[in-house]
Structures are given as C-alpha cells and as structure tokens.
Amino acid sequence: MKAFQVKNVNEYNLIDTEMPEVAAGEVMIKTSFAGICGSDLHIIHGQNPFVQFPRVTGHEFSGVVTALADDVEGLAVGDRVCVDPVISCGTCYPCRAGRHNVCMNMQVFGVHRNGGFSQFTSAPASNVIKLPDNVTLEQAALVEPYSIAMNVLSRMNPIDGDTLLIYGAGVIGLTIVQVAKAIGIERIIVTDIVAERLETAKALGATDTINSREQNVEDTVREWTNGEGVPLIADAACIPALLPEILRIACPAGRVGLLGFSSAPSDLSQIEVIKKELTLVGSRLNNRRFPQVLELIASGQLDPLKLISHRVALNEMPDGIQLMEKHPEITRKVLVTMGEY
C-alpha cells in the first residue's frame, strides 16, 4: 500500500509499505480522507519531542472498516468511521480521574504509532467511532480539530451571556469560533495579525475582529466591554509572550484556556491572577469529545467543510505541505483524498 512517511527531520515522501496487521481488539480501516494539521508540520521540522522516526503521520482521518479482530463487538465490515487519535491506558491516575487525554502512557496516531496518511490503518476498536448516517466521510475526517475546540471550551466552563475572546485565527482558532457559535456563545471576538484570516473568522461566526497590527487589543476590548474585560479567553495563537496581556484583559472570575506547547517561559503576574481569582487551564488534544462533535455535525449546527481551503490527492501531499508552509494566509484545512493506486 501507499503511505506518506516522515523519514527524519525535513525528510518526507510517499512510500510503498506493508499492510498493517490487525491485533486483538483492533479493526482495519481503508482510509478515505485525512486532514493535514499544523502539528504534522511540527513533526516534519523536528519540533515534536514525542515522535520517533520514521513515522507515517496523520491524526485526522476517516474511512471504512474492512476487517476486524475476532474479539471486536459493535462494529462491522462496511461501517463508515472516524478515529479518535488519543489512545489511553485506562489504569494510570489521569485515566482513573477521567482525563484520558493526559494519560501517562498515552499514544497518539501519527506520533507514537503510524497514522492516517496511508491507504489502510489499524486502530483499537475503542478509538473507532461509527458515523451517523447523515455525516459524510469528508466531514468526519475533520472531527479531530473540532474536538480540540470542544475540549478547551469545556475546560473553560462557559455560562449564559459569556463573551469569548480568541487569540489567533489559524485553524484551531477558527474551529473554536465555529464550536463556540454552535454551543450558543453569542459574542465571539477574534484577534490576529492577518486580515484574510480575520475575514474568514467573521464568515464562520465571529461577531467582532481585531487586527492587532492596526489596533491595540487591550484598549479595544476594554472599550467594547466598558472596562470590564472578558470572561472567556482562548489562546490559539500560542505565543507565551502574550500571557501578561491576556491576564490583564480577562475580567474578574474569568477563565483562560491555554493551547500552546512552547517550552519558552511566560511572565505571569501572580497579583493579576489572585486579585481577579482567574482560572488558567491547559487543554491538550481531546478528552473523548468526538461524540459531541459528531452530534453537532449531524444536527447541522457545525459544518467542517467550511474549514477546507484546498484538497490534494495522497501523492500530492508534498505540494499540500509546501502550500501550507509558504501561504499560511490563504490555507486553512488541506484535505487529503486517499483515492486508488
């Protein structure tokens, strides 16, 4: 079969490889569609400390079940499915506490084990989710980035009337916009430095946008909120230096969701956190949020296809990656169509 493999840092190509085996408790999936994520680019550039090379990447994918281990129940050959990429052990403290996405023995598709940029992929049945009849395989390939948005919003515990400020209008920022709108957050402010991205954010549901090249974010937000600040802030820009500003903009009793994976330190003013009794939460991957996202797609409240800016075939993946690298202002989600070889 064909697969896209990152052999080493900045070395990647399409390869011929053996079909994966179906171990106990697993199913075989013929991959239909897969999304290229910014974290796939991080792997290519050697910026992911967890990956071991060579690696078939890809953690956003959908397909059709073609085989099952004898002990698998609840799935059948021919089922249309998507795959939650977070594999947890079920026994460590985070798992016992219901926080499977920070499992101490976690494996992630495309990082710790081969992922979805291949014609066939084997996966634990517990990570395979059957699709509702009215959800397409294209839509299902993009459940994962929306699960990240659902996870961070859930961590921030929105309540009726909350305003949400999102730093960054890249793919994750845009998915947060869409999910926030779908769950009923009425005022959604997005800030970025790229005008085209802000236009997209507005088209996907943002009520207000701030181009931080042209406007002071802190002053603008204070003016819009009569000096109160905002109760919900999601940092999808993932720039550690922005944290002091974020804490100043947050209103008392506010909640801040952090998504960045940078090892660079942030300046944190303890008095800002204590006097307002702010809640800072980290959000990593997703904690079994796929069913919630699929429900929103099935009900028509969420349409992942609006996120797609480009489509490429598997053998065109290097071109898709170059497009994302060279033209981030016009690329949102690049969807890979697996096709036949």
Side-chain angles (χ1 to χ4, degrees):
M1 69 170 187
K2 298 286 186 180
F4 175 84
Q5 183 191 75
V6 182
K7 185 178 181 181
N8 211 323
V9 177
N10 294 322
E11 293 182 38
Y12 54 87
N13 59 352
L14 208 66
I15 63 166
D16 290 297
T17 187
E18 297 294 322
M19 289 274 291
E21 296 183 356
V22 180
E26 293 192 342
V27 302
M28 179 77 77
I29 299 164
K30 183 178 182 181
T31 314
S32 299
F33 298 96
I36 305 177
C37 176
S39 59
D40 294 314
L41 303 186
H42 295 158
I43 290 172
I44 287 170
H45 296 314
Q47 296 168 339
N48 186 315
F50 307 110
V51 71
Q52 291 185 341
F53 298 116
R55 178 64 64 215
V56 173
T57 52
H59 57 274
E60 308 171 2
F61 59 102
S62 65
V64 178
V65 174
T66 59
L68 310 92
D70 292 340
D71 59 345
V72 171
E73 298 178 353
L75 292 166
V77 171
D79 282 347
R80 300 176 317 116
V81 298
C82 58
V83 179
D84 186 333
V86 181
I87 303 172
S88 56
C89 72
T91 59
C92 68
Y93 175 75
C95 287
R96 299 196 307 272
R99 302 280 290 279
H100 301 273
N101 55 321
V102 286
C103 168
M104 297 172 69
N105 305 297
M106 179 173 59
Q107 290 192 322
V108 178
F109 276 91
V111 179
H112 305 89
R113 63 181 281 169
N114 286 338
F117 292 141
S118 58
Q119 289 181 289
F120 290 86
T121 309
S122 61
S126 56
N127 286 70
V128 177
I129 299 99
K130 186 176 177 180
L131 304 185
D133 291 341
N134 62 338
V135 174
T136 69
L137 284 164
E138 274 191 311
Q139 291 175 316
L142 301 183
V143 169
E144 197 275 341
Y146 288 95
S147 74
I148 290 175
M150 180 66 78
N151 203 79
V152 70
L153 287 170
S154 298
R155 295 274 288 143
M156 291 192 290
N157 294 316
I159 60 175
D160 289 346
D162 276 350
T163 292
L164 169 65
L165 170 62
I166 302 168
Y167 275 77
V171 169
I172 294 303
L174 295 176
T175 61
I176 297 173
V177 169
Q178 290 176 279
V179 173
K181 182 181 179 182
I183 66 174
I185 296 177
E186 294 182 359
R187 189 172 193 188
I188 304 167
I189 305 169
V190 180
T191 179
D192 201 291
I193 61 173
V194 181
E196 293 88 346
R197 287 182 172 183
L198 292 172
E199 290 172 9
T200 301
K202 204 73 177 286
L204 293 178
T207 54
D208 305 276
T209 59
I210 302 170
N211 189 325
S212 55
R213 285 193 189 277
E214 302 170 357
Q215 297 169 270
N216 180 285
V217 177
E218 187 172 355
D219 291 346
T220 303
V221 170
R222 292 204 175 281
E223 179 184 345
W224 287 353
T225 61
N226 297 317
E228 186 174 82
V230 289
L232 301 177
I233 303 179
D235 177 21
C238 307
I239 300 172
L242 287 173
L243 186 59
E245 176 180 282
I246 289 172
L247 298 183
R248 291 194 302 270
I249 292 174
C251 72
R255 286 87 74 204
V256 176
L258 303 175
L259 290 153
F261 229 81
S262 172
S263 60
S266 299
D267 289 330
L268 189 150
S269 172
Q270 186 169 326
I271 190 171
E272 201 72 31
V273 176
I274 302 305
K275 75 178 181 180
K276 297 179 183 178
E277 205 171 63
L278 299 178
T279 301
L280 275 64
V281 296
S283 183
R284 184 181 183 188
L285 301 166
N286 88 93
N287 188 17
R288 300 185 174 177
R289 303 290 180 185
F290 271 50
Q292 291 173 281
V293 175
L294 283 168
E295 184 177 335
L296 291 176
I297 297 171
S299 67
Q301 294 172 272
L302 195 61
D303 185 5
L305 299 187
K306 292 180 179 179
L307 195 66
I308 299 170
S309 59
H310 298 80
R311 290 174 169 82
V312 297
L314 178 61
N315 61 356
E316 298 171 326
M317 265 199 67
D319 295 330
I321 289 166
Q322 288 299 309
L323 180 67
M324 292 176 68
E325 297 265 45
K326 295 179 180 179
H327 298 286
E329 75 283 0
I330 61 168
T331 53
R332 297 188 300 276
K333 181 56 64 177
V334 177
L335 188 70
V336 181
T337 302
M338 304 307 291
E340 302 289 344
Y341 286 86

Short mmCIF file of all heavy atoms in Angstrom, two decimals, residues 237-277:
data_model
loop_
_atom_site.label_atom_id
_atom_site.label_comp_id
_atom_site.label_asym_id
_atom_site.label_seq_id
_atom_site.Cartn_x
_atom_site.Cartn_y
_atom_site.Cartn_z
N ALA A 237 -3.25 31.45 19.60
CA ALA A 237 -2.05 31.97 18.96
C ALA A 237 -0.82 31.26 19.49
O ALA A 237 0.18 31.09 18.80
CB ALA A 237 -1.93 33.47 19.20
N CYS A 238 -0.91 30.83 20.76
CA CYS A 238 0.14 30.00 21.39
C CYS A 238 1.49 30.71 21.42
O CYS A 238 2.53 30.11 21.14
CB CYS A 238 0.25 28.65 20.68
SG CYS A 238 -1.33 27.77 20.54
N ILE A 239 1.44 31.99 21.79
CA ILE A 239 2.66 32.80 21.91
C ILE A 239 2.83 33.12 23.39
O ILE A 239 2.05 33.90 23.96
CB ILE A 239 2.56 34.09 21.08
CG1 ILE A 239 2.37 33.73 19.60
CG2 ILE A 239 3.79 34.95 21.28
CD1 ILE A 239 2.08 34.94 18.72
N PRO A 240 3.82 32.54 24.07
CA PRO A 240 3.97 32.73 25.52
C PRO A 240 4.02 34.19 25.95
O PRO A 240 3.52 34.54 27.02
CB PRO A 240 5.27 32.01 25.84
CG PRO A 240 5.39 30.95 24.78
CD PRO A 240 4.82 31.58 23.54
N ALA A 241 4.60 35.06 25.13
CA ALA A 241 4.74 36.47 25.49
C ALA A 241 3.41 37.20 25.60
O ALA A 241 3.33 38.30 26.17
CB ALA A 241 5.63 37.18 24.47
N LEU A 242 2.34 36.60 25.08
CA LEU A 242 1.03 37.24 25.14
C LEU A 242 0.32 37.06 26.49
O LEU A 242 -0.67 37.74 26.77
CB LEU A 242 0.11 36.69 24.04
CG LEU A 242 0.43 37.11 22.60
CD1 LEU A 242 -0.46 36.35 21.63
CD2 LEU A 242 0.24 38.62 22.43
N LEU A 243 0.81 36.16 27.34
CA LEU A 243 0.10 35.83 28.56
C LEU A 243 -0.15 37.05 29.46
O LEU A 243 -1.27 37.19 29.98
CB LEU A 243 0.82 34.73 29.33
CG LEU A 243 0.09 34.21 30.57
CD1 LEU A 243 -1.29 33.66 30.21
CD2 LEU A 243 0.91 33.15 31.29
N PRO A 244 0.81 37.94 29.70
CA PRO A 244 0.52 39.10 30.56
C PRO A 244 -0.66 39.92 30.05
O PRO A 244 -1.51 40.36 30.82
CB PRO A 244 1.83 39.89 30.56
CG PRO A 244 2.88 38.85 30.29
CD PRO A 244 2.25 37.90 29.32
N GLU A 245 -0.71 40.14 28.74
CA GLU A 245 -1.82 40.89 28.16
C GLU A 245 -3.14 40.15 28.34
O GLU A 245 -4.17 40.75 28.69
CB GLU A 245 -1.58 41.14 26.67
CG GLU A 245 -2.72 41.84 25.97
CD GLU A 245 -2.44 42.06 24.49
OE1 GLU A 245 -1.67 42.99 24.18
OE2 GLU A 245 -2.99 41.31 23.65
N ILE A 246 -3.12 38.85 28.12
CA ILE A 246 -4.33 38.04 28.29
C ILE A 246 -4.87 38.15 29.71
O ILE A 246 -6.07 38.31 29.92
CB ILE A 246 -4.03 36.57 27.92
CG1 ILE A 246 -3.83 36.44 26.40
CG2 ILE A 246 -5.14 35.64 28.40
CD1 ILE A 246 -3.33 35.07 25.95
N LEU A 247 -3.97 38.09 30.69
CA LEU A 247 -4.41 38.17 32.09
C LEU A 247 -4.98 39.54 32.42
O LEU A 247 -5.91 39.66 33.22
CB LEU A 247 -3.23 37.85 33.02
CG LEU A 247 -2.64 36.45 32.90
CD1 LEU A 247 -1.53 36.27 33.94
CD2 LEU A 247 -3.69 35.37 33.05
N ARG A 248 -4.43 40.58 31.79
CA ARG A 248 -4.96 41.93 32.02
C ARG A 248 -6.35 42.10 31.41
O ARG A 248 -7.21 42.77 31.96
CB ARG A 248 -4.01 42.99 31.47
CG ARG A 248 -2.69 43.10 32.22
CD ARG A 248 -1.95 44.38 31.83
NE ARG A 248 -1.66 44.46 30.39
CZ ARG A 248 -0.56 44.00 29.81
NH1 ARG A 248 0.38 43.41 30.54
NH2 ARG A 248 -0.37 44.14 28.51
N ILE A 249 -6.56 41.47 30.27
CA ILE A 249 -7.84 41.61 29.56
C ILE A 249 -8.93 40.78 30.22
O ILE A 249 -10.12 41.14 30.17
CB ILE A 249 -7.68 41.20 28.08
CG1 ILE A 249 -6.80 42.23 27.35
CG2 ILE A 249 -9.03 41.08 27.38
CD1 ILE A 249 -6.47 41.84 25.93
N ALA A 250 -8.57 39.67 30.85
CA ALA A 250 -9.58 38.82 31.49
C ALA A 250 -10.28 39.58 32.61
O ALA A 250 -9.65 40.30 33.38
CB ALA A 250 -8.91 37.57 32.06
N CYS A 251 -11.59 39.44 32.69
CA CYS A 251 -12.34 40.11 33.75
C CYS A 251 -12.26 39.28 35.04
O CYS A 251 -11.86 38.12 35.01
CB CYS A 251 -13.79 40.31 33.34
SG CYS A 251 -14.78 38.81 33.31
N PRO A 252 -12.59 39.84 36.18
CA PRO A 252 -12.62 39.05 37.41
C PRO A 252 -13.51 37.82 37.24
O PRO A 252 -14.57 37.89 36.62
CB PRO A 252 -13.20 40.05 38.44
CG PRO A 252 -12.79 41.39 37.92
CD PRO A 252 -12.88 41.28 36.43
N ALA A 253 -13.04 36.70 37.80
CA ALA A 253 -13.72 35.40 37.67
C ALA A 253 -13.61 34.84 36.27
O ALA A 253 -14.32 33.89 35.92
CB ALA A 253 -15.18 35.47 38.11
N GLY A 254 -12.71 35.39 35.46
CA GLY A 254 -12.54 34.92 34.09
C GLY A 254 -11.80 33.59 34.01
O GLY A 254 -11.13 33.17 34.96
N ARG A 255 -11.95 32.94 32.85
CA ARG A 255 -11.28 31.66 32.61
C ARG A 255 -10.47 31.75 31.33
O ARG A 255 -10.97 32.22 30.30
CB ARG A 255 -12.31 30.52 32.48
CG ARG A 255 -12.92 30.11 33.81
CD ARG A 255 -14.13 30.95 34.17
NE ARG A 255 -15.30 30.60 33.35
CZ ARG A 255 -16.32 31.44 33.11
NH1 ARG A 255 -16.30 32.68 33.59
NH2 ARG A 255 -17.35 31.02 32.39
N VAL A 256 -9.23 31.30 31.41
CA VAL A 256 -8.29 31.37 30.28
C VAL A 256 -7.89 29.96 29.89
O VAL A 256 -7.42 29.19 30.73
CB VAL A 256 -7.04 32.19 30.65
CG1 VAL A 256 -6.03 32.18 29.50
CG2 VAL A 256 -7.42 33.62 31.03
N GLY A 257 -8.07 29.62 28.60
CA GLY A 257 -7.69 28.31 28.09
C GLY A 257 -6.42 28.42 27.27
O GLY A 257 -6.36 29.18 26.29
N LEU A 258 -5.40 27.68 27.67
CA LEU A 258 -4.09 27.72 27.00
C LEU A 258 -3.89 26.46 26.16
O LEU A 258 -4.07 25.35 26.65
CB LEU A 258 -2.97 27.84 28.04
CG LEU A 258 -3.07 29.04 28.99
CD1 LEU A 258 -1.96 28.98 30.04
CD2 LEU A 258 -2.99 30.36 28.22
N LEU A 259 -3.48 26.66 24.91
CA LEU A 259 -3.34 25.54 23.97
C LEU A 259 -1.91 25.35 23.48
O LEU A 259 -1.60 24.37 22.82
CB LEU A 259 -4.25 25.75 22.76
CG LEU A 259 -5.75 25.62 23.03
CD1 LEU A 259 -6.55 26.44 22.05
CD2 LEU A 259 -6.17 24.17 22.96
N GLY A 260 -1.03 26.30 23.78
CA GLY A 260 0.32 26.26 23.23
C GLY A 260 1.20 25.19 23.85
O GLY A 260 1.01 24.81 25.01
N PHE A 261 2.17 24.71 23.08
CA PHE A 261 3.08 23.66 23.55
C PHE A 261 4.52 24.16 23.56
O PHE A 261 5.46 23.38 23.50
CB PHE A 261 2.96 22.43 22.65
CG PHE A 261 2.78 21.15 23.41
CD1 PHE A 261 1.54 20.79 23.90
CD2 PHE A 261 3.84 20.31 23.67
CE1 PHE A 261 1.35 19.62 24.62
CE2 PHE A 261 3.67 19.13 24.38
CZ PHE A 261 2.44 18.79 24.85
N SER A 262 4.69 25.48 23.64
CA SER A 262 6.03 26.04 23.63
C SER A 262 6.71 25.81 24.98
O SER A 262 6.07 25.86 26.03
CB SER A 262 5.97 27.54 23.34
OG SER A 262 7.24 28.13 23.50
N SER A 263 8.01 25.58 24.93
CA SER A 263 8.77 25.44 26.17
C SER A 263 9.30 26.78 26.67
O SER A 263 9.91 26.87 27.73
CB SER A 263 9.96 24.48 25.96
OG SER A 263 10.82 24.98 24.94
N ALA A 264 9.05 27.85 25.89
CA ALA A 264 9.51 29.18 26.30
C ALA A 264 8.71 29.64 27.53
O ALA A 264 7.51 29.40 27.62
CB ALA A 264 9.32 30.17 25.17
N PRO A 265 9.36 30.29 28.48
CA PRO A 265 8.66 30.75 29.69
C PRO A 265 7.74 31.92 29.40
O PRO A 265 7.95 32.69 28.46
CB PRO A 265 9.80 31.16 30.62
CG PRO A 265 10.92 31.53 29.71
CD PRO A 265 10.81 30.62 28.52
N SER A 266 6.70 32.05 30.22
CA SER A 266 5.79 33.19 30.16
C SER A 266 5.93 33.99 31.45
O SER A 266 6.11 33.42 32.52
CB SER A 266 4.34 32.72 30.03
OG SER A 266 4.13 31.98 28.85
N ASP A 267 5.80 35.32 31.32
CA ASP A 267 5.74 36.16 32.52
C ASP A 267 4.33 36.07 33.08
O ASP A 267 3.35 36.33 32.38
CB ASP A 267 6.06 37.61 32.17
CG ASP A 267 7.53 37.80 31.84
OD1 ASP A 267 8.35 37.05 32.41
OD2 ASP A 267 7.84 38.66 31.02
N LEU A 268 4.21 35.68 34.34
CA LEU A 268 2.90 35.56 34.97
C LEU A 268 2.87 36.43 36.20
O LEU A 268 3.65 36.23 37.14
CB LEU A 268 2.60 34.10 35.32
CG LEU A 268 1.17 33.80 35.79
CD1 LEU A 268 0.78 32.37 35.41
CD2 LEU A 268 1.04 33.96 37.31
N SER A 269 1.98 37.43 36.18
CA SER A 269 1.82 38.31 37.33
C SER A 269 0.84 37.66 38.30
O SER A 269 -0.36 37.57 38.03
CB SER A 269 1.29 39.68 36.88
OG SER A 269 0.97 40.46 37.99
N GLN A 270 1.36 37.20 39.42
CA GLN A 270 0.51 36.50 40.37
C GLN A 270 -0.62 37.39 40.89
O GLN A 270 -1.75 36.91 41.08
CB GLN A 270 1.35 35.98 41.54
CG GLN A 270 0.56 35.11 42.52
CD GLN A 270 1.48 34.41 43.49
OE1 GLN A 270 2.60 34.03 43.16
NE2 GLN A 270 1.01 34.22 44.71
N ILE A 271 -0.34 38.67 41.08
CA ILE A 271 -1.38 39.55 41.60
C ILE A 271 -2.55 39.65 40.63
O ILE A 271 -3.72 39.74 41.04
CB ILE A 271 -0.82 40.96 41.93
CG1 ILE A 271 -1.87 41.77 42.69
CG2 ILE A 271 -0.37 41.68 40.67
CD1 ILE A 271 -1.34 43.08 43.23
N GLU A 272 -2.27 39.59 39.32
CA GLU A 272 -3.33 39.66 38.32
C GLU A 272 -4.25 38.44 38.43
O GLU A 272 -5.46 38.55 38.30
CB GLU A 272 -2.72 39.73 36.92
CG GLU A 272 -3.64 40.30 35.86
CD GLU A 272 -3.84 41.81 36.00
OE1 GLU A 272 -2.92 42.50 36.48
OE2 GLU A 272 -4.94 42.27 35.66
N VAL A 273 -3.66 37.30 38.68
CA VAL A 273 -4.43 36.07 38.80
C VAL A 273 -5.22 36.04 40.11
O VAL A 273 -6.41 35.70 40.13
CB VAL A 273 -3.50 34.82 38.73
CG1 VAL A 273 -4.30 33.55 38.96
CG2 VAL A 273 -2.79 34.78 37.38
N ILE A 274 -4.57 36.45 41.20
CA ILE A 274 -5.20 36.34 42.52
C ILE A 274 -6.29 37.39 42.73
O ILE A 274 -7.38 37.09 43.20
CB ILE A 274 -4.14 36.44 43.64
CG1 ILE A 274 -3.08 35.35 43.46
CG2 ILE A 274 -4.82 36.33 45.01
CD1 ILE A 274 -3.61 33.94 43.39
N LYS A 275 -6.00 38.64 42.38
CA LYS A 275 -6.99 39.69 42.66
C LYS A 275 -8.28 39.48 41.88
O LYS A 275 -9.36 39.88 42.33
CB LYS A 275 -6.39 41.07 42.38
CG LYS A 275 -6.26 41.43 40.91
CD LYS A 275 -5.69 42.83 40.73
CE LYS A 275 -5.58 43.21 39.26
NZ LYS A 275 -5.03 44.57 39.07
N LYS A 276 -8.16 38.84 40.69
CA LYS A 276 -9.36 38.56 39.89
C LYS A 276 -9.88 37.14 40.10
O LYS A 276 -10.92 36.78 39.57
CB LYS A 276 -9.05 38.74 38.40
CG LYS A 276 -8.64 40.14 37.99
CD LYS A 276 -8.36 40.14 36.49
CE LYS A 276 -7.88 41.48 35.99
NZ LYS A 276 -7.56 41.44 34.54
N GLU A 277 -9.14 36.35 40.84
CA GLU A 277 -9.43 34.92 41.01
C GLU A 277 -9.65 34.26 39.64
O GLU A 277 -10.68 33.61 39.38
CB GLU A 277 -10.63 34.68 41.93
CG GLU A 277 -10.57 33.31 42.61
CD GLU A 277 -11.61 33.12 43.69
OE1 GLU A 277 -12.81 33.15 43.37
OE2 GLU A 277 -11.21 32.91 44.85
#
